[in-house]
Amino acid sequence: MGGWQLEVFRMGVYMAFPVGLFYWFNQPEYFEKWVVEKKRQMYPPESKNNHDQIQNLIKDMKDKDKEVYLRQLQQMDSRN
């Protein structure tokens, strides 16, 4: 049929093709823009307003928990 030279050539193509594609498609310039864009969509930069709202919510929740705790302590004291 083709001999050993053809088999060596075919094996070289079989091995070089996936390695070449891996090299070609994993170059940073091909997907860097896409990755940065997706990251910004998933994790938008924090704004000062959002940060303040989150901090206020945390403070309100802590205050509410303190009130509940103090009420429970007062009830325990009144029982004794």
Side-chain angles (χ1 to χ4, degrees):
M1 296 268 259
W4 67 272
Q5 292 96 350
L6 180 61
E7 291 299 322
V8 168
F9 174 74
R10 285 176 47 194
M11 183 57 81
V13 170
Y14 291 156
M15 292 172 65
F17 184 71
V19 172
L21 289 178
F22 181 80
Y23 175 76
W24 179 263
F25 286 109
N26 282 313
Q27 296 295 313
E29 61 267 6
Y30 288 115
F31 63 92
E32 185 174 7
K33 180 181 175 185
W34 179 80
V35 169
V36 169
E37 184 179 314
K38 286 295 177 187
K39 255 187 168 177
R40 286 191 180 143
Q41 286 177 359
M42 292 176 65
Y43 307 107
E46 283 191 27
S47 68
K48 180 69 173 156
N49 187 26
N50 288 347
H51 181 71
D52 291 342
Q53 287 178 347
I54 290 171
Q55 293 304 320
N56 287 338
L57 177 65
I58 290 171
K59 182 182 174 289
D60 292 343
M61 291 180 72
K62 284 183 179 180
D63 291 343
K64 184 179 175 185
D65 287 344
K66 276 185 184 178
E67 288 177 12
V68 170
Y69 181 69
L70 287 174
R71 263 192 250 123
Q72 289 175 350
L73 281 176
Q74 288 174 353
Q75 287 177 355
M76 288 177 68
D77 283 344
S78 65
R79 288 182 192 166
N80 292 333

